[in-house]
Amino acid sequence: MLTYRLEGSGGTECLVMRDEVRPEPKPHEIVVRVRATSLNRRDTMILNGTYPLTPRQGIVPLSDGAGEIVAIGDAVTRFAVGDRVTGSYFARWVDGRINAGLIDQLGCTLDGMLAEYAVLDEQWAVRLPDHLDWHEAATLTCAGLTAWNAVTGAGIPKPGQWVLAIGSGGVSLFALQFAKLLGCRVVAVTSRGGKADRLRALGADLVISTSETPEWGAAVRDQTGGIDLVVETGGPATFAQSLIASTLYGHIVLLTLQDQQGRSIEMPAALYQRSLATISRLFVGSRTNLEAMLRAVSQHRLRPVIDKVFAFTEAGDAYRYFQKGDVFGKVVVDGA
Ligand SMILES: NC(=O)c1ccc[n+]([C@@H]2O[C@H](COP(=O)([O-])OP(=O)(O)OC[C@H]3O[C@@H](n4cnc5c(N)ncnc54)[C@H](OP(=O)(O)O)[C@@H]3O)[C@@H](O)[C@H]2O)c1
């Protein structure tokens, strides 16, 4: 079977395709014929050696992928051959709070999905909604679940309240879609004004170009009366404006602290003094969260936004394209 492995952490040259023996499942394992995978920001950090969790040497990369089960171990009870599944990001985190014993991640410390076949413990996988095609089904594990937990986590915004989504990457577009499912109003800010129409078509009630309005926080606050929930994916480039945009008791889910240049967010004293916003954090989510999200995706027949699909043999090109950052939704790699 064909599989990619990360042999080092020096960029796409370390992404090596190998031809290996197709695995057989142990008693509690399933073998998945992978039909598609997708990229997340963390995958580029793992590739470049900047991810906080040290990857295992020679790992099969990518947490996100979808496929059908072609073989199961003797003791498997959760699945049957033919089931359509995806993996759970923190494979061992089933429910409740995360702890140090549960931090193994697919595509980092455990072999991930960028292979013709993936071997997963049956506890690491979940069934997929029927209405999704393989490309769409491969996008939910990291960006989808992060956005779901950001929007439905600590304080679920009520219908009519304002949610702010920053940019048009994977997490932001899912956040926009989930916020609309909840009946919220959504502001989308983007550094590229050319994406405004697509953001409106997805349901954004207000779109602001950050290049045309660099001090967009005040503009957002003026036009909305204040944001109730910010899904903060921008980090140091956007945090201060997000705080300005928020209502006095707003909620900011801070998903990243640093940008790709290593700069961290700052909290100017003048902003701190005039805001009572709650700042919370999260790490993607558990399998139980993933199952809850997939029920909602299924119920509302939500369709993830795909930016571009690459052939399996072009996985390096997919990484390079994704790293440039001018995306609208998910970058997908077809199965082998
Ligand atoms: N804590 C967690 O559990 C968790 C989980 C997943 C992701 N994250 C973090 O969340 C962030 C987003 O992840 P992602 O996978 O959605 O990334 P992504 O797909 O790479 O998103 C990139 C988008 O962000 C926007 N952007 C980039 N620089 C910007 C800036 N200076 N100001 C405003 N917008 C900017 C751009 O949209 P426009 O072109 O429209 O401006 C770009 O398309 C990453 O930092 C990632 O590490 C955290």
Side-chain angles (χ1 to χ4, degrees), residues 4-57:
Y4 283 96
R5 293 196 175 271
L6 275 187
E7 300 184 352
S9 55
T12 47
E13 299 75 51
C14 300
L15 187 65
V16 181
M17 190 159 67
R18 302 272 178 229
D19 196 357
E20 300 181 356
V21 176
R22 180 181 147 172
E24 293 299 323
K26 296 197 184 82
H28 290 282
E29 288 178 344
I30 58 176
V31 179
V32 179
R33 172 80 170 89
V34 180
R35 296 296 183 177
T37 54
S38 76
L39 294 169
N40 290 283
R41 188 55 47 199
R42 57 84 83 161
D43 299 308
T44 65
M45 296 167 78
I46 291 170
L47 184 78
N48 297 318
T50 58
Y51 195 58
L53 187 61
T54 305
R56 209 191 68 217
Q57 192 55 231

Side-chain angles (χ1 to χ4, degrees), residues 40-42 45 142-143 146 166-172 189-192 195 210 233-234 237-238 254-256 258 282-284 322 325-327 329-330:
N40 290 283
R41 188 55 47 199
R42 57 84 83 161
M45 296 167 78
C142 179
T146 302
I166 295 170
S168 40
V171 175
S172 302
V189 297
T190 172
S191 61
R192 298 169 215 257
K195 296 177 175 177
T210 59
T233 51
T238 56
L254 185 60
L255 292 175
T256 186
Q258 287 193 320
L282 60 84
F283 289 153
V284 189
F322 179 71
D326 184 13
V327 297
K330 299 298 296 180

